[in-house]
Structures are given as C-alpha cells and as structure tokens.
Amino acid sequence: MRRAIDTLFGRLVVIVIGMLVLSHVAWFAIIRFERDNVQTRFAVEEAVFLVEAVRQHITNTPDQPLPPRVRLVALNRPDVPKQPDEDTPPPLQRFVEDLKDRLPDGTEVRLNEPGGPPSVWVHGAKDDGWIVVPVQPLRPPRSRDRMLVWLALIFSTAVLAALCGAWQLQYPLRALAQAVGRFGRGQPTPPVPERGPRELRQLTHGFNQMVREVSQTENDRAVMLAGVAHDLKTPLARLRLRAEMMDDEKMRDGVVRDVDSMAHIVDQFLVFAHDRPDGSEPVPVDEQCERIVRAYRAVAPGAQPIRLKLEAGPAFVLPAASLDRLLSNLLDNAHAYGAPPVVIETRREAKGWVLSVSDHGRGIAPEDLIKASRPFVRLDPARGGSGHSGLGLAIVERLARRAGGECEIGNRAEGGLQVAMTFPFDTATRPAQERRAGPQHEERAL
C-alpha cells in the first residue's frame, strides 16, 4: 500500500507545513510578548510625563485647577492604596518597578484598588502629598479573533505558495524516476527534459547520456546477433537439404536433428536481437492461451500434458506476437527441462494481471535463480539441456518488460519452476499505433 509520506512531495509537504506552523506559533508568541512590553513602556512614559507635569503645575501655577482625573491627595488619607504584594499580577509588578526606575530615588509608587478607574499614586521625597494620575490599561481588550484570522490567512497563503514551490521542485524528479523505471524494465526511454536546480539538471543530463550509450551498445549487439543469425540461416538450409539426401537413415536423422537444433538456436538469436516495439493488436490472453495450447498439442501429440487455469477474463489483453513468443518459449523450456503437468494460469491481483507458467520438475537451485534469466547462461547441472542457446528465459524477461510488465522466476513450494509475469492494468491496453510509434511517440507524450 502506497503512503503519501513515502513520496518526495509528501515529505516536502510535511516539512513545509511543520516549519510554517512552528514559525507562525513563534511569531504569535513574540508579537504578544513585545506588545505587552510596548504597552508597559508606553504606560510608564505616560505616567512619568504626567507626574512631572503635575509637579511643574504645582510649582509654577498653583492657583490653576488640575486637569480631569489628576488629583493631589494628602498623605494621611484613609483611601490611600496599599503597597503592591505578591498577589499583584506580574505585568503590574513590572510596571511598578519600571516606573520606580524612571522616577527619582525614594519615590513611592502604588496602584489604585481594583474596581476603580486605572490610576497610579506617586509620592516623592519633595512632594507634600500623593500625586494621582491616570494610566492606560496594560491589557486593553483586543479582539484575538481578528489576529487569528489574519494569521490563518497568512498561513494559508504561505502553505499554498510553498506547496506550489515543492511541486515544481519534485516534478522533474518524478519525471526522472519514471524514466528510470521505464529504462529498468527495458522499455523505450525518451530523453528527460533537463529542468530544475543545477544538481538535478546534471543528474538528468548524466541519465540521458547513459541511456544513449546503453541504447547504442544494445543496438550494436542486436545488429551483430541479427546479422550472424541471419547469415547462418542459408548454410543451415543447405545442410538440411544435403542431410535429406543421405542414404544412411540413422546418420540422416542425427544430422537433421542437429540442424534443427542449430536452426532453433538461430531463431532464438533473432528473437533476442529483435528490439522493436510490438505493433500487433492486443488479444484476450485467456483465449490466446487456449489456441496456443491446442496448436501445441496438434504439433506434438506426445508432448507433456498442459493444464489451463484461466481466471483473468476478457479484460486481460496483450499484443498477440509478444504473447505467442512468451508462451512458446516457456512451454519449450518446461517440456525440455521440467516434468508434467505444465500449468498455464491467469488471474487478476491488486497490482495487475498475472500470467504464469509452471512445471513439476526439479526446478532451479536457489543459488542459480538470479542467473536464470541472463543471456547465454545454461544451467546444465540443475536443468540439464544441451543444444540450447540459454536465451529462453532471457527472451521471456525481455518480452515481458517490453510489454510493460515484470517477470519473476522462482521455484514452487510443491516442486518445479514457476515463471510469473505481472502486467499493470493500463499497460497492455494501449493502442497498437502507440506501441508502433516507439520512443518518438513516448517523447511527444511526455
């Protein structure tokens, strides 16, 4: 099961959202803290200004009335507030301490009792009484909802912008990953556009160069194999003709068998060297399996029995030519090295369509399974066999990958070899024109 967190985009989303949440929470806390400090400093400066203004007023114009909410109170008045104690809220304690620091030494500062208008009582060493001046509330009522709305709006905008940036960053990587997957499956791989940061462009350029060099090497090898195999067909035909003209029947049959074996190897070379997309029309796999088995039984009546377990239904289709080659190679391999019965099975699984061919022979030694699909490797100790090119399973794997599937070779728990090929649901249903177009069409599609 795929998880979104496993993708590069998913992890970028988690990192971006996490960093944005952390930064917004930090900024919210800093703004609130700084707002309280600014309020405290403003209230202190305002109170100091008023106290100094009252003192100047008393000194210069004592006969003039004081401004509203500013009073002079005698020292022995019973309504003088008490000294701030430990129960005073920390912001008010900080306000009193800051105010004392701004006033001359020895100044007493007290706060009005709760319930009345906010004011501060100040008595200096040269004052005849208490100077009572109003102060701004240290925590004025503010709408937190408005701040949260703005934070949510900024956060949403930042997340959308970050997600767009993350998508633009991971899109070239996604295209490169898809191209790597296609190249690993042996499918035509068009050049990947070199986009994104410098390191990513360098990586894409290196991958494109590697694909070109590997493709050129594969083409050279395919041309060489095809040329050798094609040139061998004519002398093999002449050898068979001369063998048919031999008088000794026993020698004639032996030479004909050898020539047929060599012809089979040459045909395998040609199939392995063939590197073009299959342009044949898709056919239902279940129906084609039945036809191939009937034809196989008609050509070789004494061959090993073949059982069919076809459960995929008509929706499972593959190109006719590729399917014929796949089954022919697998049936030949099972009849040459396995034991009856041979079972052809199709089914539908969560990850795609499955086509498997299995026998009931000895299978392949576990240490040789990794070499089973390599070209020109013959596992004689495990599978016997002589007069073969070692291309049967290599051809099967190449054809399966060329059709968009994956090939898995392993031993059955009950004994015998099983070759299971899995094809995605949308791979086998591409139109034949798209498959014939090959790499050029794939490049245009990207």
Side-chain angles (χ1 to χ4, degrees), residues 307-366:
R307 295 180 183 175
L308 296 176
K309 188 178 180 182
L310 309 176
E311 300 175 352
F316 182 21
V317 295
L318 285 177
S322 295
L323 182 57
D324 290 344
R325 291 170 183 164
L326 283 172
L327 291 178
S328 298
N329 279 278
L330 289 175
L331 290 176
D332 289 342
N333 190 77
H335 288 153
Y337 306 124
V342 178
V343 180
I344 300 177
E345 182 180 0
T346 62
R347 61 183 181 275
R348 178 191 176 103
E349 293 185 352
K351 55 184 179 181
W353 303 107
V354 176
L355 169 63
S356 67
V357 177
S358 58
D359 59 60
H360 291 71
R362 292 180 300 170
I364 297 177

Side-chain angles (χ1 to χ4, degrees), residues 20-100:
L20 287 175
V21 169
L22 181 63
S23 63
H24 277 69
V25 170
W27 273 112
F28 181 74
I30 291 173
I31 289 173
R32 292 199 59 186
F33 178 75
E34 288 297 326
R35 184 196 66 181
D36 295 341
N37 286 341
V38 169
Q39 285 182 337
T40 302
R41 288 195 297 268
F42 179 78
V44 168
E45 295 296 333
E46 185 182 36
V48 171
F49 173 79
L50 291 176
V51 169
E52 293 297 332
V54 170
R55 286 173 177 170
Q56 293 292 331
H57 178 83
I58 294 173
T59 302
N60 299 326
T61 56
D63 54 338
Q64 294 294 328
L66 294 171
R69 295 184 61 188
V70 176
R71 297 181 294 155
L72 292 176
V73 180
L75 295 175
N76 56 358
R77 284 278 297 268
D79 56 347
V80 175
K82 299 179 181 180
Q83 289 278 2
D85 52 17
E86 296 180 355
D87 296 335
T88 304
L92 296 180
Q93 292 180 2
R94 187 168 62 251
F95 169 75
V96 172
E97 296 296 330
D98 292 346
L99 187 57
K100 286 182 178 180

Side-chain angles (χ1 to χ4, degrees), residues 277-281 431-438 440:
D278 188 356
S280 60
E281 291 296 332
Q433 292 80 4
E434 181 178 338
R435 292 193 304 276
R436 294 191 189 102
Q440 291 79 8

